[in-house]
């Protein structure tokens, strides 16, 4: 400290300055200036500085400083007591046989210990000595008399002692035989217990020593040993000289695990980041799987520093429990301004993800719940009528089929016509983004203070949030030539980079991305990333970001059993492993219908959803054949198609229904639905095969339905900004 503290003047006199600085400098004087420089020494300016500035030592133990900690430790004690009770009650017959054995062994030890007393061996040495002396000097009468007297006394003592022991045994036997069974049991226990205690030994114990259900009995010593084995603490010749961590909390019970916050010792050159990078080694030293070890840095905002680590070690795998049903399934409405319910972490804490002003990327291996997780975000947008959806599913299955009731644009499959529709959809989105920015530039700051979308702008100018969802992105890129792919990557990047301010929310998903399937320049501008199981750390970093695995965000630690579990990264230093909420396909389809019902009164059904023949037929009370509706859906981007390709798309969309169909059955079902083909042969790119024209299919739909479905939605508001 080098600042000079002024001395306040009160009533014309200097008042002594009171400071909480332990080593505050004194006011300089002329003599100080002339004094030669000497080595600095500590001079306490205030003798109360230590007492005033150092916090009081905590009165309560660590486990009793919060209600949550008391509850967790009490619950753990009750679970442990209940487990021990069941363990020992189940072994009562075994303990009874062992008690009898130990009592017999104790009786033998007791009899062997009492035998010298009963036989008066304390007098035998003198008797034997006199006997030997008498044999050596048979003529010594006095010696013979002494021997006879001493021998008689020993014999008398033996008779009395054996007699007393016999009387005690007979009395006990008679009393036991005359007692009632309950008393007999108590007497037997009273006799057997001390005998068993006498018969115990290192080889045999009365009770088994069970392994407690808490596999990790965390202690400060165990933590230091684990860190030392991982090379994070220096080795020393003795335990007294070995460096140790400083535990600022714990170890204490926290839910179904142990929690501890510790500081790395200074002078060792190791930081919290070094500890996170050694997660696997630390887990091995603690005797658990690394999926059970949750570690993170404690930042300055929470009282941390560069060497402070928060660690939580679960008793077992915390991600194998049944998934929690998504609360979105039962909601009537949701505001996209609020964080989206996403799942819960290992400790059971709820995780919600804010999506406005963000872009998202989901990656991982197939059949690990990637699409189900991605749909949670889109499902939240379904319950907000001021969200307009653009969806492209390049897998073309059932996962996103329900969006036809809501989506302004819906692209299904990765065929040429679907790719063309996707490119046109991107051009439409870019044009809408530029239109919105032009509108924002003309608005006063009182309406648009930050150049972003606001709730007032949404309703006044009818500018809903635009939710762009793209699944299996790699299928689209692999179907494009290099020039087209480069242009599409640039367009998606512009939407992810500039679109959030205009109300665009990008939601992309792909399998393991690489330079070709999902280029780096697109991945690196995504703000929120989630990854299901992948094969290695390199693949995890491709999805979550370079270096994230070393920081603890490693999706390669997940196993095949961790379906619906993702590693979520929401910022440069924020990540969590999350057990995602479950939203089934049936529930998602119900939300699509609910979303349509929310939008219809506000006039927010537009684009492809406004032209959905099935929805229009439902409102009109008219039923059309399911096969006709499905064929129109898979042909939404084509005016003609060969029967073999049409059947393949139907199987891809609903394998359960169309998996065993052939072209003959398809033709028969469409004929029964009223489809009259003007021609059976369709020429597409020089191939003349059996097929269908979209015009023939639409002719089988009542004309009034087609007219209602083709009504164009009202144009966006063009109110002049005031």
């Amino acid at each position: 400290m080098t600042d000079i503290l002024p001395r306040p003047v009160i009533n014309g006199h200097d008042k002594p300055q009171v400071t909480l600085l332990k080593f505050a400098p004194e006011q300089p004087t002329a003599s100080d200036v002339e004094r030669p420089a000497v080595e600095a020494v500590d001079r306490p300016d205030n003798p109360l500085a230590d007492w005033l500035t150092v916090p009081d030592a905590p009165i309560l133990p660590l486990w009793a400083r919060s209600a949550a900690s008391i509850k967790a430790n009490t619950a753990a004690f009750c679970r442990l007591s209940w487990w021990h009770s069941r363990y020992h009650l189940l072994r009562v017959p075994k303990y009874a046989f062992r008690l009898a054995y130990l009592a017999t062994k104790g009786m033998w030890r007791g009899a062997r210990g009492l035998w010298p007393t009963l036989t008066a061996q304390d007098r035998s040495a003198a008797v034997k000595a006199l006997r030997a002396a008498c044999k050596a000097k048979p003529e010594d009468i006095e010696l013979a008399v002494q021997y006879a007297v001493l021998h008689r006394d020993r014999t008398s003592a033996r008779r009395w002692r054996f007699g007393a022991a016999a009387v005690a045994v007979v009395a006990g036997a008679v009393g036991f035989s005359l007692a009632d069974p309950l008393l007999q049991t108590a007497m037997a226990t009273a006799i057997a217990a001390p005998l068993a205690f006498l018969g115990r030994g290192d080889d045999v114990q009365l009770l088994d020593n069970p392994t407690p259900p808490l596999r990790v009995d965390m202690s400060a010593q165990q933590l230091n040993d684990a860190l030392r084995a991982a090379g994070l603490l220096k080795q020393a010749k003795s335990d007294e000289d070995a460096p140790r961590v400083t535990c600022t909390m714990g170890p204490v019970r926290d839910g179904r695990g142990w929690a501890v916050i510790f500081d790395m010792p200074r002078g060792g050159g190791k930081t919290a980041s070094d500890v996170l990078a050694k997660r696997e080694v630390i887990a091995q030293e603690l005797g658990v799987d690394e999926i059970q070890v949750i570690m993170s840095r404690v930042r300055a905002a929470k009282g941390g520093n560069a060497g402070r680590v928060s660690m939580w070690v679960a008793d077992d795998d915390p991600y194998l429990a049944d998934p929690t049903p998504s609360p979105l399934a039962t909601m009537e409405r949701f505001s996209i301004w609020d964080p989206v319910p996403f799942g819960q972490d290992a400790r059971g804490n709820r995780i919600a993800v804010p999506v406005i002003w963000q872009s998202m990327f989901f990656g991982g291996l197939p059949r690990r719940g990637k699409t189900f997780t991605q749909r949670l975000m889109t499902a939240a947008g379904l319950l907000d009528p001021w969200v307009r959806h653009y969806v492209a599913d390049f897998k073309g299955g059932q996962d996103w089929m329900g969006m036809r009731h809501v989506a302004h644009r819906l692209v299904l499959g990765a065929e040429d016509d679907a790719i063309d529709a996707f490119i046109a959809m991107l051009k439409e989105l870019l044009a809408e983004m530029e239109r919105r920015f032009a509108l924002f530039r003309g608005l006063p700051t009182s309406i648009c203070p930050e150049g972003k979308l606001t709730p007032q702008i949404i309703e006044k100018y009818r500018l809903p949030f635009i939710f762009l969802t793209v699944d299996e992105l790699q299928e689209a890129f692999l179907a494009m030539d290099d020039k087209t792919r480069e242009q599409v990557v640039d367009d998606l990047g512009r939407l992810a980079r500039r679109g959030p301010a205009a109300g665009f929310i990008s939601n992309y998903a792909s399998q393991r991305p690489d330079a070709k399937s999902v280029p780096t320049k697109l991945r690196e501008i995504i703000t929120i990333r989630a990854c299901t199981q992948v094969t290695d750390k390199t693949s995890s970093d491709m999805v979550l970001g370079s270096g994230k695995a070393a920081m603890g965000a490693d999706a390669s630690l997940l196993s095949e059993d961790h379906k619906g579990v993702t590693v979520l990264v929401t910022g440069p230093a924020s990540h969590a492993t999350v057990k995602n909420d479950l939203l089934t396909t049936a529930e998602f389809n119900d939300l699509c219908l609910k979303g349509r019902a929310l939008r219809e009164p506000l006039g927010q059904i537009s684009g492809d959803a406004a032209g959905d023949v099935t929805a229009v037929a439902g409102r009109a009370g008219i039923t059309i054949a399911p096969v006709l509706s499905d064929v129109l859906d898979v042909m939404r981007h084509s005016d003609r198609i060969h029967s073999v390709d049409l059947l393949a798309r139907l199987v891809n969309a609903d394998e359960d229904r169309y998996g065993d169909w052939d072209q003959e059955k398809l033709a028969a079902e469409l004929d029964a639905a009223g489809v009259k083909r003007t021609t059976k042969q369709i020429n597409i790119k020089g191939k003349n095969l059996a097929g269908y024209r979209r015009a023939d299919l639409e002719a089988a739909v009542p004309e009034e339905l087609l007219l209602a479905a083709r009504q164009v939605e009202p144009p966006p508001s063009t109110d002049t900004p005031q």
Side-chain angles (χ1 to χ4, degrees), residues 642 679-691:
H642 291 141
T679 177
K680 293 186 177 181
Q681 297 296 114
I682 302 297
N683 191 316
I684 302 176
K685 295 183 179 179
K687 291 185 178 180
N688 194 17
L689 301 174

Side-chain angles (χ1 to χ4, degrees), residues 129-130 132-138 140-148:
L130 289 174
C134 289
K135 288 182 179 180
K137 297 179 179 182
D140 192 340
I141 301 301
E142 184 178 356
L143 190 62
V145 171
Q146 291 178 358
Y147 169 71

Side-chain angles (χ1 to χ4, degrees), residues 29 85 89 122 175 184 207 221 269 291 320 428 457 556 577 658:
T29 62
S85 300
L89 285 174
D122 55 329
Q184 287 181 344
L207 301 180
Q221 181 60 42
I291 198 68
L320 294 182
E428 179 181 338
I457 295 176
S556 66
T577 303
Y658 301 108

Side-chain angles (χ1 to χ4, degrees), residues 327-667:
L328 294 171
T330 57
M331 289 184 181
E332 294 299 325
R333 190 161 179 162
F334 182 82
S335 174
I336 202 66
W337 294 91
D338 298 330
V340 176
F342 192 70
Q344 60 186 18
D345 63 9
R347 304 192 195 191
N349 300 319
R350 291 294 303 170
I351 301 297
V353 180
V355 296
I356 61 170
W357 324 130
Q358 305 291 338
S359 54
M360 297 167 284
F361 182 80
F362 296 83
L365 293 175
R367 291 171 295 280
R368 294 294 183 272
K370 179 175 74 275
T371 298
F372 277 70
T373 304
Q374 184 191 23
R375 281 195 318 202
L376 287 172
M377 305 303 186
T378 305
L382 289 172
L383 294 176
D384 189 335
W386 292 105
V387 174
R388 180 180 298 168
H389 289 274
Y390 288 72
V391 179
D393 175 22
F394 294 108
K395 182 169 57 178
Q398 280 187 309
D399 295 331
W400 300 95
M401 190 67 73
M403 290 297 295
R404 68 179 186 268
H405 301 297
V406 182
H408 180 82
R409 294 286 179 257
L410 178 61
V411 177
L412 298 174
E415 294 78 17
D416 292 342
D417 54 351
I419 297 297
D420 293 339
F422 178 62
I423 294 174
M425 183 176 76
L426 291 180
K427 292 181 179 179
E428 179 181 338
L429 288 170
L430 291 172
E432 175 64 14
M433 181 178 69
E434 297 301 333
R435 185 183 76 86
R436 293 190 175 198
F437 280 128
L439 175 63
F440 294 165
R441 287 192 295 268
L443 293 175
T445 56
S446 60
I447 298 178
C448 187
E450 298 181 359
K452 294 181 179 180
L453 200 64
T454 65
Q456 294 76 17
I457 295 176
I458 288 177
E459 297 189 13
K460 181 176 182 179
Y461 298 99
R462 304 186 68 83
L463 294 180
F465 273 103
I466 291 183
F467 210 117
L468 171 60
T469 303
V470 183
D471 194 10
E472 302 295 348
L473 189 56
Q474 80 284 348
E475 295 295 331
F477 286 150
L478 295 177
M480 299 175 184
D481 57 64
D482 293 342
K483 182 178 180 180
T484 304
R485 181 170 56 252
E486 186 70 20
Q487 182 60 48
V488 169
V489 169
D490 290 340
D491 292 344
L492 291 173
R494 289 177 61 192
L495 291 173
R497 184 169 51 251
R498 298 184 59 223
F504 284 65
I505 303 172
S506 300
N507 184 14
Y508 306 142
S510 174
Q511 296 179 20
R512 178 185 182 272
D514 53 32
K516 186 175 182 180
S517 61
V518 183
T520 304
K521 68 178 182 179
L522 175 59
R523 296 198 313 269
E524 292 304 318
I525 61 176
I526 304 297
T527 53
I528 296 176
R529 306 185 186 191
C531 186
T532 59
Q533 183 202 8
V534 290
T535 56
D536 51 37
K537 295 181 184 297
T538 302
S539 300
S540 179
D541 280 349
M542 283 186 175
V543 178
L544 300 177
S546 178
K548 292 299 182 182
M551 297 173 59
D554 184 6
S556 66
L557 298 180
L558 303 176
S559 68
E560 293 79 2
D561 298 326
H562 293 132
K563 292 185 177 180
V565 179
T566 59
V567 178
L568 176 68
V569 173
T570 56
S574 301
H575 62 83
T577 303
V578 183
K579 179 74 173 180
N580 304 318
D581 294 337
L582 177 62
L583 184 68
T584 65
T585 301
E587 291 172 336
F588 181 76
N589 292 337
D590 290 341
L591 288 181
C592 291
L593 296 176
K594 190 180 296 184
R596 186 180 183 96
L598 289 173
R599 286 163 174 77
E600 286 178 342
L602 300 176
Q604 289 299 307
I605 296 298
S606 59
D608 293 348
D612 181 34
V613 175
T614 304
V616 175
R619 292 199 306 272
I622 301 175
T623 302
I624 62 175
V627 63
L628 180 58
S629 175
D630 291 342
V631 168
L632 289 173
D633 278 332
V634 300
M635 284 186 64
R636 62 176 55 243
H637 310 300
S638 305
D639 60 349
R640 60 184 64 193
I641 190 172
H642 291 141
S643 296
V644 61
D645 296 329
L646 176 59
L647 187 59
R649 294 188 185 185
L650 289 172
V651 172
N652 186 44
D654 192 347
E655 186 175 2
D656 293 337
R657 174 181 294 182
Y658 301 108
D660 57 350
W661 282 31
D662 54 19
Q663 295 186 39
E664 288 74 15
K665 184 172 183 179
L666 176 62

Side-chain angles (χ1 to χ4, degrees), residues 29-64:
T29 62
S31 59
D32 293 333
V33 177
E34 299 173 357
R35 185 180 302 166
V38 294
E39 184 179 357
V41 296
D42 291 340
R43 295 186 59 190
D45 180 69
N46 184 357
L48 298 180
D50 284 335
W51 183 81
L52 290 172
T53 57
V54 178
D56 293 337
I59 299 175
L60 296 175
L62 287 172
W63 61 268

